[in-house]
């Protein structure tokens, strides 16, 4: 068998370091507080655009050679300033889309909205799958496939994938060998955060997490914060859907 040829940078492909930053989009304009899920027409709020600009500034000096986003507007709008800062075309990958959820278009909370209706209780029978939406393992498969493609596109450099809270958290949980079912309040995946996967060759060797727009995120939306109960206070985002 012939010996592998080195890559143009002089480093064997199996030893190349590649970083894939998986970014959660910024805040969304959602005055009705519905779980918007995969529904079209939900764009970044003014604050969300500031978050997107902050992420672009944070990554401006990084060796980004590939930027790709979920097809949903909020992800595209978050990715656009990042791509522009590096003079790159923005790619779209449907595998980065939000998780499907039967409660899309409804308000969702204890004593408020969907959970008050007995007809919806049948969707809450199995939190381990989960029974109300796209199975966790299916999210793992598509997200792993998406970041592998991004890694290959940026081999030896860095890539950015803009996605949504639940698929990002499920991906990270799988990589870090945690159970996939979880308490949504404990996800470490704040708006405009980066979950960064470092590959050596094709193997993930480390996972990092950062919040470059943390000072812009309303306190009740930070990772681990208690959710807003009842109707959100005036001027506060309800942050349903992700």
């Amino acid at each position: 068998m012939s010996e592998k040829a080195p890559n143009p940078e002089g480093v064997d492909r199996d030893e190349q370091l590649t970083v894939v930053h998986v970014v959660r989009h910024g805040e969304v304009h959602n005055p009705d507080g519905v779980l918007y899920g995969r529904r079209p027409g939900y764009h970044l709020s003014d604050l969300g655009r500031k978050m997107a600009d902050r992420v672009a500034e944070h990554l401006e000096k990084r060796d980004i050679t590939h930027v790709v986003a979920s097809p949903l507007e909020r992800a595209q709008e978050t990715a656009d300033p990042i791509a522009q800062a590096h003079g790159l075309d923005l790619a779209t990958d449907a595998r980065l889309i939000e998780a499907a959820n039967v409660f899309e278009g409804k308000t969702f909370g204890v004593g408020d909205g969907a959970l008050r209706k007995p007809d919806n209780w049948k969707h809450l029978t199995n939190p381990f799958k989960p029974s109300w939406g796209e199975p966790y393992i299916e999210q793992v498969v598509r997200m792993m496939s998406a970041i592998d493609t991004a890694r290959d596109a940026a081999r030896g450099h860095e890539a950015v994938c803009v996605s949504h809270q639940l698929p990002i958290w499920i991906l990270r949980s799988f990589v870090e060998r945690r159970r996939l079912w979880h308490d949504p309040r404990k996800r470490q995946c704040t708006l405009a955060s980066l979950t960064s996967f470092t590959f050596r060759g094709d193997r993930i060797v480390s996972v990092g997490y950062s919040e470059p727009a943390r000072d812009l995120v309303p306190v009740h939306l930070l990772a681990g914060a208690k959710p807003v109960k009842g109707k959100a206070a005036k001027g506060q985002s309800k942050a349903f859907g992700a």
Side-chain angles (χ1 to χ4, degrees), residues 22 71 89 117 123 173 194 226 233:
V22 186
D89 292 330
K117 300 177 181 179
H123 299 300
S173 295
L194 282 70
K226 294 181 179 180

Side-chain angles (χ1 to χ4, degrees), residues 61-80:
K61 295 183 179 179
R62 302 297 296 242
D63 184 22
I64 307 295
T65 61
H66 181 67
V67 181
V68 60
S70 154
L72 296 173
E73 293 97 333
R74 57 194 185 270
Q76 294 276 314
E77 291 164 0
T78 300
D80 187 60

Side-chain angles (χ1 to χ4, degrees), residues 78-134:
T78 300
D80 187 60
I82 302 171
Q84 287 190 32
H86 293 274
L88 299 171
D89 292 330
L90 173 59
T92 299
D93 190 333
R95 292 172 294 185
L96 295 171
I97 201 167
E98 172 65 294
N101 193 305
V102 297
F103 296 110
E104 286 180 15
K106 302 175 181 179
T107 56
F108 189 90
V110 177
D112 176 26
L115 291 183
R116 296 180 61 185
K117 300 177 181 179
D119 287 347
N120 288 328
W121 296 349
K122 63 180 179 290
H123 299 300
L124 305 174
T125 56
N126 184 359
F128 306 104
K129 186 179 179 180
S131 53
W132 56 82
E134 181 184 12

Side-chain angles (χ1 to χ4, degrees), residues 19 84 105 187 205 213 222:
V19 181
Q84 287 190 32
R187 295 173 189 159
V205 294
L222 290 169

Side-chain angles (χ1 to χ4, degrees), residues 18-65:
T18 307
V19 181
V20 179
H21 305 283
V22 186
V23 179
R24 184 184 172 193
H25 61 78
E27 186 192 58
V28 175
H29 180 65
N30 181 22
D32 296 327
V34 300
L35 193 153
Y36 36 79
R38 293 181 173 180
R39 291 190 164 211
Y42 285 88
H43 297 265
L44 293 182
S45 64
D46 289 342
L47 179 59
R49 292 182 185 279
K50 291 179 181 177
M51 292 178 184
D53 289 340
R54 177 68 64 79
V55 175
E57 292 171 5
H58 177 74
L59 293 172
E60 187 175 9
K61 295 183 179 179
R62 302 297 296 242
D63 184 22
I64 307 295
T65 61

Side-chain angles (χ1 to χ4, degrees), residues 119-157:
D119 287 347
N120 288 328
W121 296 349
K122 63 180 179 290
H123 299 300
L124 305 174
T125 56
N126 184 359
F128 306 104
K129 186 179 179 180
S131 53
W132 56 82
E134 181 184 12
Y136 292 136
I137 193 61
E138 291 183 11
Q139 295 178 53
V140 168
V141 170
R142 64 176 171 85
M143 290 293 288
M144 282 297 304
S145 179
I147 69 167
D148 283 349
T149 297
R151 174 207 62 212
D152 289 343
R155 180 79 65 170
H157 303 279

